[in-house]
Amino acid sequence: EQATWIDQAHPSFTSPYQGLNSFTPGSQSERTFSFSLFAGYRPFSSTEVYYNPEVLQGHGLSETVGIAGFPNGEGAKAAFPNLHYSTSRLFIRQTFELGGARNKVDDDVNQVAGAYDENRVTLSIGKFSAGGFFDGNSYSHDSRSQFMNWSILESGAWDYPADALGYTAGFVAEWSTRSWVLHYGVFMEPTVSNGTRLDPHLMDAHGQILQLDRPYSLGGLSGTLRPFVFWNQARMGNYDDALANPVIANALTESRAYRSKVGFGLSWDQQLAENVGAFARLSWDDGRTESFAFTEIDRSAAAGISLGGGLWGRKADTLGLAGVVNAIVPSHRAYLAAGGTEGLILGDGALNYGPEEIMEAYYSIQVLKWVSIAPDCQFVLHPGYNRDRGPVPVYAVRAHFTF
């Protein structure tokens, strides 16, 4: 079980104009809350069933629009003034063991304790998050205990298939050996951009991803490379077609048809010393179609460092420092500059383009074995790729409970 409370705020900042999806220039504060239960059961030696009910409440700043690298990773789930129930995960996992040394695993989130052959094939089917299987990273992949910015904890240009809460239905196959793990997944896409319903036209609407995990060791220090490629198909708009429409207001919606988007990424982490780790993420998509399910990023480069509190006598604490640069393709820029506001989370009504640059720092303090408190600070330059707006400092305090 876990519970996470995030209280986030920012002061007033420069904003000569605003659009439908602008980050609010006046000072504001918002909070998000989540409570999750992770239940797993093994009815047979090689079969597991997982159920993850969640209760969600709250809002992201500015109703979770206006910054492509949004500062609250819980914000995607937060659009409810009152407590809201969600069956976030419900899936079956089947393992086929192929020999080799036995690897013991302990009870963990969506993992039942047991032992498996190091050579195995694992199949998972049901409802879950695509990010739960792909784009992992030891130092930045959990907004509840690590970095909170969307484009630091995920590869920003991977427009991963998901409904408005970040979940989807699909199938994942994983082939594990001593030296590497190969992952393949196919997932349902929403019917519309950031939609709550998944598109039942599976032949026309789905996302696929192929990833290789390659762990290694340098001087006894562990690291992992995770390159991946993806291909999405969905009923997406086209920015060039929208720009050709004399009326920009509904142009992106009117341009929608079943189209594809391709891209690639790399997630890397490396232990540098006993209490020091570094990570980086690079991602790219072709930008030919609208950003559909994650956020409005076509190019992204992120890097950071994680310092364990053992360096200063508090072994359960963590200090994290990271930065990211996000960008969009020319047709995407032109659409926003023309006043387009039908995008996923951006639209100021005009645009003086500049790459979105973000720095984040957090310090997680282990107050008790089951609770940590983390002050967090982010500095956003050119929010929504707009040089006319900002910069914006965003401050937060996160309380994370595990039971």
Side-chain angles (χ1 to χ4, degrees):
E1 299 173 2
Q2 77 83 36
T4 303
W5 176 279
I6 297 175
D7 208 308
Q8 203 162 47
H10 70 81
S12 300
F13 63 90
T14 301
S15 174
Y17 50 85
Q18 297 179 68
L20 182 64
N21 289 335
S22 290
F23 200 67
T24 304
S27 61
Q28 63 168 323
S29 64
E30 289 289 357
R31 54 214 49 85
T32 59
F33 170 77
S34 67
F35 174 81
S36 313
L37 175 66
F38 300 96
Y41 173 64
R42 181 179 285 121
F44 308 104
S45 60
S46 58
T47 306
E48 302 152 66
V49 180
Y50 293 97
Y51 170 47
N52 174 204
E54 291 191 305
V55 176
L56 312 167
Q57 186 177 14
H59 295 275
L61 293 167
S62 300
E63 301 295 326
T64 320
V65 299
I67 299 177
F70 199 77
N72 184 349
E74 291 280 273
K77 305 177 184 179
F80 308 104
N82 301 309
L83 293 174
H84 173 84
Y85 170 81
S86 170
T87 300
S88 296
R89 296 175 181 85
L90 180 60
F91 67 96
I92 296 174
R93 176 182 295 154
Q94 179 68 42
T95 301
F96 300 91
E97 299 188 88
L98 304 176
R102 298 287 285 175
N103 293 333
K104 182 180 179 181
V105 297
D106 298 322
D107 277 329
D108 204 345
V109 173
N110 295 326
Q111 178 176 285
V112 177
Y116 300 96
D117 289 353
E118 64 180 0
N119 300 309
R120 61 187 183 275
V121 171
T122 305
L123 308 179
S124 301
I125 187 169
K127 182 182 181 182
F128 33 56
S129 167
F133 294 88
F134 296 90
D135 194 31
N137 198 284
S138 297
Y139 304 111
S140 184
H141 198 52
D142 183 1
S143 61
R144 294 167 174 172
S145 61
Q146 297 171 325
F147 293 95
M148 293 197 293
N149 189 278
W150 283 8
S151 54
I152 294 176
L153 66 95
E154 303 281 4
S155 291
W158 177 34
D159 196 7
Y160 65 83
D163 62 15
L165 295 184
Y167 298 100
T168 184
F171 167 80
V172 177
E174 299 167 288
W175 179 14
S176 303
T177 73
R178 174 184 294 182
S179 303
W180 45 262
V181 182
L182 185 65
H183 311 256
Y184 169 74
V186 57
F187 307 99
M188 294 180 70
E189 292 276 7
T191 55
V192 296
S193 175
N194 200 34
T196 58
R197 294 178 58 246
L198 298 175
D199 194 330
H201 302 95
L202 300 181
M203 297 302 294
D204 296 316
H206 60 266
Q208 300 182 64
I209 180 170
L210 180 68
Q211 174 178 303
L212 177 68
D213 292 5
R214 183 64 174 90
Y216 62 89
S217 179
L218 292 175
L221 301 174
S222 62
T224 305
L225 287 166
R226 303 176 186 84
F228 64 85
V229 294
F230 69 90
W231 175 36
N232 295 342
Q233 290 193 152
R235 194 170 181 275
M236 299 182 283
N238 178 279
Y239 294 117
D240 286 330
D241 290 351
L243 288 164
N245 191 321
V247 181
I248 198 68
N250 300 313
L252 195 61
T253 297
E254 292 174 3
S255 74
R256 283 178 178 158
Y258 285 108
R259 297 186 171 96
S260 64
K261 173 183 290 185
V262 298
F264 60 83
L266 172 68
S267 174
W268 167 77
D269 57 61
Q270 174 65 59
Q271 184 185 14
L272 301 179
E274 182 179 355
N275 289 289
V276 182
F279 73 94
R281 278 194 165 91
L282 299 173
S283 55
W284 177 97
D285 69 49
D286 60 26
R288 293 182 299 177
T289 54
E290 66 175 309
S291 300
F292 203 66
F294 179 35
T295 190
E296 296 192 49
I297 297 174
D298 299 317
R299 312 282 189 270
S300 185
I305 190 167
S306 178
L307 305 176
L311 291 171
W312 52 90
R314 289 189 56 84
K315 63 180 181 179
D317 291 4
T318 305
L319 171 65
L321 303 168
V324 62
V325 178
N326 300 318
I328 51 176
V329 299
S331 60
H332 196 163
R333 303 175 201 174
Y335 171 76
L336 294 175
T341 58
E342 291 185 290
L344 192 60
I345 63 171
L346 300 182
D348 290 330
L351 184 70
N352 177 14
Y353 179 77
E356 190 178 78
E357 302 170 16
I358 304 170
M359 296 291 296
E360 180 177 2
Y362 76 91
Y363 182 72
S364 180
I365 306 164
Q366 196 73 34
V367 180
L368 298 169
K369 184 177 181 180
W370 50 275
V371 58
S372 63
I373 304 294
D376 181 279
C377 178
Q378 299 178 52
F379 186 80
V380 184
L381 190 64
H382 312 146
Y385 309 107
N386 201 336
R387 293 182 182 272
D388 291 338
R389 296 170 57 80
V392 186
V394 180
Y395 307 102
V397 175
R398 174 181 62 204
H400 179 60
F401 305 85
T402 55
F403 310 98

